[in-house]
Amino acid sequence: MATIDVIGGIFLDIYILKNDGNHNSKILQLPGGSALNVAIGLARLGHNVRMFGNVGKDFVGEFLLEKLSFHSVNVEWIKKVDQHTATFITMNEKPIAVDRRINDLDLIIPKKKSEYLFITTETNERIINSNIFLNYKKTFFDIGPRPKLIDKKCENVFFIGNEKECKDFLFTCDVVKLGKKGAKWGEKIVALSGRKASYQIGMGDVFDTVFIDGILNNIEKEQILHNAVNATQKVSEYLGAYNKIINI
């Protein structure tokens, strides 16, 4: 199995499902952030994963570090700082509040790198446009949620994004996640079965995880795309990105 570093936001995700009044709401608190979810997913698939990022010196930060460690993600390089851990809140799957400022702080990154890197734009801009990518065999860069921050590209960087993100992106996305239409890699498109997802948040994280795992395991290109699209379909019944990841 491969060694891979992961850089991106670390969040507490709060999901509120509200139907007929405040007192009948369902509230779920889970580890979150695309980078965190992909780190856990790749570790569960057998890869050696290190994560770089920031958490607060609070009970939420401790909770997230414990969850990452439980899933065999190396948290040695996650820094504890005197701020609140980042939080993402949705109501009926629509974002209503995000506190992400801690993710823009500097990171602790060791000199010795892994073979591969996964990164999102939920980290500070200095990292996003640095030369860090030159130190890896290949970098998988999910351009969400802030693709406009990216102003440089290295040859070993593989860009992944959803249709909206890729449309106005400065560079060309190698893989485009098309939502209910499936996904596209070059000229190849693999469609979903057509069944509507019960819960959509986190399906992109599942796609990234299975897609990257396929490349790391040298699976044939078309099969990788099929596997990634099918995986998102199978876990769409689970509320929360984290719950989707641990049920791949």
Side-chain angles (χ1 to χ4, degrees):
M1 291 296 179
T3 62
I4 184 164
D5 293 336
V6 175
I7 299 175
I10 301 173
F11 288 84
L12 175 70
D13 283 354
I14 301 176
Y15 298 88
I16 303 171
L17 294 182
K18 183 177 177 181
N19 294 314
D20 56 351
N22 294 334
H23 292 282
N24 292 316
S25 299
K26 178 180 180 180
I27 301 174
L28 194 62
Q29 300 182 69
L30 296 170
S34 292
L36 176 145
N37 290 319
V38 171
I40 289 175
L42 290 172
R44 287 175 60 85
L45 291 173
H47 300 286
N48 188 344
V49 182
R50 302 187 302 180
M51 185 159 192
F52 309 144
N54 298 307
V55 297
K57 293 181 179 178
D58 50 24
F59 70 95
V60 176
E62 290 297 332
F63 166 71
L64 297 178
L65 291 174
E66 288 175 7
K67 283 294 186 181
L68 284 163
S69 297
F70 175 80
H71 292 293
S72 300
V73 176
N74 185 329
V75 299
E76 179 183 1
W77 304 99
I78 295 177
K79 185 168 58 172
K80 296 180 182 179
V81 299
D82 289 321
Q83 290 193 23
H84 294 298
T85 299
T87 306
F88 173 76
I89 305 174
T90 70
M91 180 177 291
N92 296 338
E93 290 234 300
K94 294 184 182 299
I96 60 172
V98 183
D99 180 354
R100 56 164 312 283
R101 289 166 294 179
I102 193 173
N103 292 312
D104 282 332
L105 301 178
D106 288 331
L107 309 179
I108 301 174
I109 297 182
K111 291 182 179 179
K112 185 177 181 181
K113 306 298 190 293
S114 295
E115 298 171 277
Y116 300 93
L117 172 67
F118 174 79
I119 185 171
T120 76
T121 51
E122 276 288 13
T123 188
N124 74 64
E125 193 171 350
R126 293 178 296 281
I127 292 291
I128 290 170
N129 292 305
S130 72
N131 292 321
I132 188 174
F133 312 109
L134 300 175
N135 299 312
Y136 294 92
K137 289 182 179 179
K138 184 181 287 293
T139 292
F140 303 98
F141 202 148
D142 190 309
I143 66 174
R146 304 187 295 169
K148 291 183 178 180
L149 293 183
I150 303 171
D151 63 17
K152 66 183 298 183
K153 183 184 189 307
C154 299
E155 288 187 5
N156 65 332
V157 175
F158 191 98
F159 287 127
I160 306 169
N162 64 39
E163 195 168 18
K164 181 179 178 181
E165 292 163 348
C166 293
K167 183 178 179 180
D168 299 320
F169 186 43
L170 182 62
F171 305 102
T172 299
C173 286
D174 298 281
V175 168
V176 183
K177 295 179 278 190
L178 301 173
K180 62 183 180 181
K181 294 181 289 185
K184 179 180 179 181
W185 186 359
E187 296 302 314
K188 180 64 180 176
I189 298 177
V190 172
L192 289 173
S193 67
R195 189 179 71 213
K196 184 178 179 180
S198 300
Y199 302 106
Q200 295 187 0
I201 292 178
M203 292 179 69
D205 300 344
V206 172
F207 179 94
D208 288 358
T209 299
V210 176
F211 184 88
I212 293 168
D213 177 68
I215 291 180
L216 298 183
N217 283 305
N218 297 310
I219 298 174
E220 191 270 332
K221 179 176 179 178
E222 185 172 343
Q223 188 61 52
I224 292 174
L225 200 57
H226 274 284
N227 290 349
V229 169
N230 291 339
T232 65
Q233 189 82 63
K234 290 177 182 177
V235 298
S236 66
E237 66 192 83
Y238 295 99
L239 173 61
Y242 172 80
N243 284 339
K244 288 181 176 68
I245 284 289
I246 63 173
N247 283 285
I248 291 176

